[in-house]
Amino acid sequence: MAESYVRFFGEKPSRRVTSPLEKGDHPELDTSEFLGVDETRIYQSMIGSAQWVISIGRFDIAVHIMTLSSFRAQPRRGHLDRIKRVYA
């Protein structure tokens, strides 16, 4: 997953987080701008990669990824920031 992150964003993910999403976070209430076509493809690819990682054993991120995957059709900037946090 880290290799995908570097390929998409040109930097390694931050290691300063202690949980996949912030406590009390509600992605369904996000009102940030919608992503463009290219960023939407990146978001969808990151969700797909994370779902694969869950299937091979990272069950601890399953709820977070399934929540974020519901925004695959029209993700917002805040959703992309959240998936980046999960990758960290």
Side-chain angles (χ1 to χ4, degrees):
M1 284 178 45
E3 293 84 17
S4 296
Y5 190 98
V6 171
R7 189 175 68 244
F8 292 140
F9 304 109
E11 62 187 19
K12 291 185 177 183
S14 171
R15 299 278 185 208
R16 294 181 295 235
V17 298
T18 57
S19 67
L21 293 179
E22 293 180 18
K23 185 177 181 175
D25 188 20
H26 296 281
E28 67 278 5
L29 301 178
D30 193 321
T31 59
S32 60
E33 77 236 13
F34 288 109
L35 297 178
V37 174
D38 292 335
E39 289 178 314
T40 297
R41 286 188 185 128
I42 290 171
Y43 181 82
Q44 292 168 340
S45 180
M46 292 177 77
I47 291 290
S49 296
Q51 288 173 331
W52 179 79
V53 168
I54 291 167
S55 71
I56 61 170
R58 282 294 310 269
F59 306 115
D60 58 318
I61 63 172
V63 172
H64 309 295
I65 296 303
M66 293 308 124
T67 300
L68 291 173
S69 71
S70 65
F71 304 103
R72 281 182 294 193
Q74 191 63 54
R76 295 180 177 268
R77 174 82 40 212
H79 299 135
L80 181 61
D81 293 341
R82 287 175 177 93
I83 192 68
K84 288 167 79 173
R85 179 184 169 101
V86 172
Y87 269 61

